[in-house]
């Protein structure tokens, strides 16, 4: 059990209570004997996937305080997590997941955003999606990470209106179409043979399918067959 108080300890290892600190993200030893602890523990917190739950709580109870807290936490996170400056700018999948969390919860907190916050939000989301695009998990050992990153590109491309948006969207869709063929076996099982990864990948495709439908688009027929 961790009680963060008014300011969330975004860099804290919850097991030891020690702080991962900050510095150039690519230089932080998060694997091997020099690591502080299990980096996945603070990364789970920094994915912000609980924002959607907070948003639903605000909507269902007609109490804006959980949604106000989303805005407060995003603002605090942006302030203390500069791009390339801490443990939360290392892994493209974690970064993409956080961006999707902010985007999916947006309908619940949009009415609480003033113009300066919207600018900070859009700027940071742009940094998130650019990072994902530049650090895609491609190569010899391509796996489920690439599918999650592609979904983040699609979400960012649809949500943000900037000069990169169309490229993000098209690149994300192309990757999802490609990886449906590469990462799904003929009998419909994800190639990593993990129930968790199988579900994760299907979640990403369903998310993208829903976002596309709301924007008058759809996945290719071959991708739909793969999902089935």
């Amino acid at each position: 059990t961790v009680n963060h108080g008014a300011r969330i300890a975004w860099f804290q290892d919850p097991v030891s209570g020690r702080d991962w600190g900050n510095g150039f993200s690519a230089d932080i030893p998060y694997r091997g004997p020099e690591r502080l602890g299990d980096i996945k523990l603070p990364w789970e917190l920094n994915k912000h996937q609980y924002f959607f739950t907070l948003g639903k709580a605000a909507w269902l109870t007609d109490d804006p305080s959980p949604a106000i807290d989303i805005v407060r936490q995003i603002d605090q996170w942006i302030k203390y997590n500069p791009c390339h400056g801490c443990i939360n700018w290392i892994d493209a999948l974690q970064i993409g997941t956080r961006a999707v969390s902010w985007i999916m919860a947006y309908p619940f907190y949009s009415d609480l955003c003033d113009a300066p916050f919207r600018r900070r939000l859009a700027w940071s989301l742009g940094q998130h999606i650019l990072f994902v695009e530049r650090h895609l998990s491609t190569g010899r050992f391509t796996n489920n990470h690439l599918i999650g990153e592609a979904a983040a590109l699609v979400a960012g491309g649809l949500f943000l209106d900037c000069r990169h948006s169309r490229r993000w969207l098209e690149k994300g869709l192309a990757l999802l179409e490609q990886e449906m063929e590469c990462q799904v076996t003929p009998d419909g099982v994800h190639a990593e043979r993990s129930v968790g990864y199988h579900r994760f990948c299907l979640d990403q495709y369903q998310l993208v399918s829903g976002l596309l439908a709301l924007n008058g688009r759809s996945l290719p027929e071959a991708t739909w067959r793969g999902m089935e």
Side-chain angles (χ1 to χ4, degrees):
T1 301
V2 179
N3 184 0
H4 288 276
R7 177 179 167 184
I8 296 175
W10 301 114
F11 310 146
Q12 186 183 86
D13 170 36
V15 176
S16 66
R18 296 167 61 194
D19 198 325
W20 277 85
N22 48 25
F24 183 47
S25 57
D27 289 340
I28 297 174
Y30 69 101
R31 292 173 174 164
E34 296 182 6
R35 70 186 189 278
L36 176 66
D38 185 352
I39 191 69
K40 291 185 178 180
L41 297 176
W43 275 355
E44 285 299 321
L45 171 67
N46 285 274
K47 287 179 182 178
H48 294 162
Q49 290 179 297
Y50 58 90
F51 280 1
F52 196 75
T53 301
L54 287 176
K56 286 192 294 183
W59 178 58
L60 290 169
T61 63
D62 205 25
D63 175 5
S65 56
I68 291 171
D69 210 48
I70 296 175
V71 175
R72 181 185 69 83
Q73 289 190 37
I74 291 176
D75 229 4
Q76 185 192 87
W77 191 94
I78 292 173
K79 179 178 180 180
Y80 292 107
N81 292 268
C83 187
H84 297 290
C86 62
I87 61 169
N88 294 314
W89 290 96
I90 293 175
D91 183 87
L93 178 61
Q94 316 305 317
I95 293 165
T97 300
R98 180 168 54 249
V100 170
S101 296
W102 293 8
I103 291 169
M104 296 303 294
Y106 184 74
F108 297 121
Y109 66 84
S110 61
D111 291 343
L112 304 169
C113 305
D114 58 19
F117 174 79
R118 288 182 197 273
R119 286 193 292 271
R120 292 192 295 274
L121 175 69
W123 181 265
S124 186
L125 278 172
Q127 290 178 321
H128 278 67
I129 306 303
L130 278 172
F131 186 103
V132 172
E133 181 186 28
R134 292 167 179 169
H135 298 85
L136 291 168
S137 301
T138 56
R140 181 181 176 188
F141 300 108
T142 295
N143 58 18
N144 66 87
H145 279 225
L146 183 57
I147 291 175
E149 293 156 8
L153 289 177
V154 173
L158 290 171
F159 185 77
L160 292 172
D161 182 11
C162 68
R163 61 191 175 93
H164 305 292
S165 299
R166 180 176 293 276
R167 186 183 73 249
W168 290 336
L169 175 59
E170 298 306 327
K171 182 178 289 189
L173 290 175
L175 285 170
L176 289 170
E177 184 176 2
Q178 167 190 301
E179 294 309 307
M180 178 59 76
E181 295 186 13
C182 295
Q183 294 196 41
V184 178
T185 61
D187 61 351
V189 178
H190 186 259
E192 291 182 85
R193 270 56 169 197
S194 160
V195 173
Y197 291 155
H198 184 105
R199 189 192 115 181
F200 170 81
C201 292
L202 188 56
D203 280 348
Q204 304 307 304
Y205 281 96
Q206 293 284 9
L207 169 66
V208 167
S209 175
L211 292 175
L212 288 174
L214 291 170
N215 286 273
R217 298 187 58 161
S218 64
L219 290 166
E221 182 62 32
T223 305
W224 268 109
R225 288 197 300 270
M227 291 170 63
E228 288 296 326

